Amino acid sequence: MATLLEVKDLRTHFYTFEGVVKAVDGVSYEVEEGETLGLVGESGCGKSVSALSLMRLIPDPPGKIVDGEVLFESEDILKIDMDDMRRIRGAKMSMVFQEPMTSLNPVLTLERQLSETLQLHRGMSREEARQESVDLLSRVGIPDAERRVRQYPHQFSGGMRQRVMIAMALSCNPKLIIADEPTTALDVTIQAQILELMKSLTSEFGVSLIVITHNLGVVARYANRMNIMYAGKIIERGAAGEVYSNPRHPYTVGLLKSVPRLDLPRRAKLDPIEGQPPDLINLPEGCAFRDRCRWAVDKCATEEPPLMLVNEGHWSACWRSDELGPSALDFLADLGLYADDSSNGAAASESDAEVE
């Protein structure tokens, strides 16, 4: 597959009274056509800021993209003027934000908000845009779209509003959609519906998708590849199945061990990552994860590990990555998350039997 998006050494800083916050600090990755890429990490690790940087939506001041390249269809969109960037947003690159109620205008009907994009980017007449708006709402599973398109955002539930945001993102047939934690405010049943909807629609239209999340189950089910972020950097990346079954960074191991296990008694405790992420204004010398790491050695305090190839297509920024892998996990049965549906069902049945 051809490369649709290539991010090279992206750096986004925020200039505050306390100092410079290095929210994104040298991030590089690629997204291929039709691919789903997962961007995973704790809150404050730079996931959302990196996505806003791609869309050039960083508020200036205090934020500024200080370095790097974002090659979209081989064109560096960080160097084009804002008028050209506005023609790319929505038409070729769309974003589904974390909280739809803050993204939708409360005083405009859905018809007006959907039609605006269609008229601007696709040159439709008002009536054509209205009919296309109805079709879009139907496509994302909103019943009685002919009537509901005339309603306001507050008349929709959280899940329905997120469906509207997906309809907006798809309205101009973009080549890339960035979904920034699209299910955070939804209950688990609606989360599954929204994610299945996004996956089916992106597959149907051949759209590339970047899913930003801290939910490892989402990445296991939907992503082809994954990037693990910590303190503004990518510290591990590779094929999702490879990273799940063969984690090579202590942070990834910690995230996986924080996932509830079906094969343990109900009262079994999780194994969380101790401590807090570092202050991005005063990053420690050496590895940023060192203070929370169970595998840290003296070298970690003085030298920052670069991303190193540990397997085919699998990279990790850890001095002890060769010592990690499947042996660092004690719950490989849970990695059936990445298997097919039949094996998932079998694993779940066995786990239920053990619990009982």
Side-chain angles (χ1 to χ4, degrees), residues 98-234:
Q98 183 170 339
E99 175 46 62
M101 201 58 191
T102 60
S103 305
L104 296 169
N105 192 321
V107 300
L108 297 179
T109 64
L110 298 190
E111 178 183 345
R112 181 70 187 92
Q113 297 186 61
L114 283 164
S115 298
E116 182 180 25
T117 303
L118 295 167
Q119 291 175 283
L120 177 64
H121 290 295
R122 294 177 61 180
M124 291 184 175
S125 66
R126 183 174 180 177
E127 183 54 37
E128 289 173 335
R130 182 189 176 282
Q131 187 55 51
E132 181 66 14
S133 298
V134 173
D135 293 342
L136 284 166
L137 293 185
S138 298
R139 190 174 295 169
V140 298
I142 294 180
D144 196 11
E146 185 77 34
R147 176 180 65 88
R148 304 217 67 183
V149 76
R150 298 191 295 272
Q151 294 182 335
Y152 293 86
H154 73 271
Q155 295 175 280
F156 289 75
S157 66
M160 286 296 181
R161 286 196 291 265
Q162 199 60 283
R163 289 173 186 264
V164 173
M165 292 300 299
I166 295 171
M168 285 185 172
L170 290 167
S171 62
C172 294
N173 302 320
K175 296 186 177 181
L176 174 67
I177 294 177
I178 303 170
D180 184 7
E181 301 195 32
T183 61
T184 296
L186 308 177
D187 64 66
V188 291
T189 304
I190 304 302
Q191 282 183 25
Q193 293 176 6
I194 294 297
L195 291 166
E196 288 291 343
L197 173 65
M198 292 188 68
K199 184 64 175 178
S200 63
L201 290 173
T202 52
S203 299
E204 178 184 349
F205 294 99
V207 179
S208 299
L209 178 65
I210 298 176
V211 178
I212 299 172
T213 183
H214 49 251
N215 187 331
L216 289 166
V218 170
V219 177
R221 184 170 178 83
Y222 300 102
N224 304 109
R225 290 188 299 125
M226 62 192 296
N227 294 334
I228 309 293
M229 285 193 71
Y230 187 77
K233 299 178 183 290
I234 293 176

Side-chain angles (χ1 to χ4, degrees), residues 324-336:
L324 300 177
S327 61
L329 299 170
D330 58 4
F331 59 103
L332 293 180
D334 258 6
L335 298 178

Side-chain angles (χ1 to χ4, degrees), residues 34 62 66 88 181 187 290:
V66 297
I88 290 176
E181 301 195 32
D187 64 66
R290 172 176 55 86

Side-chain angles (χ1 to χ4, degrees), residues 28-156:
S28 300
Y29 61 90
E30 308 84 32
V31 180
E32 296 180 346
E33 293 180 353
E35 177 186 37
T36 297
L37 175 73
L39 201 57
V40 186
E42 294 172 286
S43 297
C45 69
K47 307 185 302 296
S48 296
V49 174
S50 67
L52 292 172
S53 299
L54 301 185
M55 300 288 288
R56 290 182 64 179
L57 293 175
I58 299 296
D60 182 9
K64 189 174 183 63
I65 301 172
V66 297
D67 199 6
E69 296 178 309
V70 177
L71 303 178
F72 183 73
E73 296 184 314
S74 302
E75 180 181 25
D76 188 355
I77 59 176
L78 297 184
K79 294 181 179 178
I80 63 177
D81 60 41
M82 290 308 297
D83 287 338
D84 289 335
M85 188 64 210
R86 291 187 188 97
R87 284 189 279 270
I88 290 176
R89 288 196 206 111
K92 293 185 177 182
M93 184 187 299
S94 295
M95 190 164 181
V96 178
F97 293 94
Q98 183 170 339
E99 175 46 62
M101 201 58 191
T102 60
S103 305
L104 296 169
N105 192 321
V107 300
L108 297 179
T109 64
L110 298 190
E111 178 183 345
R112 181 70 187 92
Q113 297 186 61
L114 283 164
S115 298
E116 182 180 25
T117 303
L118 295 167
Q119 291 175 283
L120 177 64
H121 290 295
R122 294 177 61 180
M124 291 184 175
S125 66
R126 183 174 180 177
E127 183 54 37
E128 289 173 335
R130 182 189 176 282
Q131 187 55 51
E132 181 66 14
S133 298
V134 173
D135 293 342
L136 284 166
L137 293 185
S138 298
R139 190 174 295 169
V140 298
I142 294 180
D144 196 11
E146 185 77 34
R147 176 180 65 88
R148 304 217 67 183
V149 76
R150 298 191 295 272
Q151 294 182 335
Y152 293 86
H154 73 271
Q155 295 175 280
F156 289 75

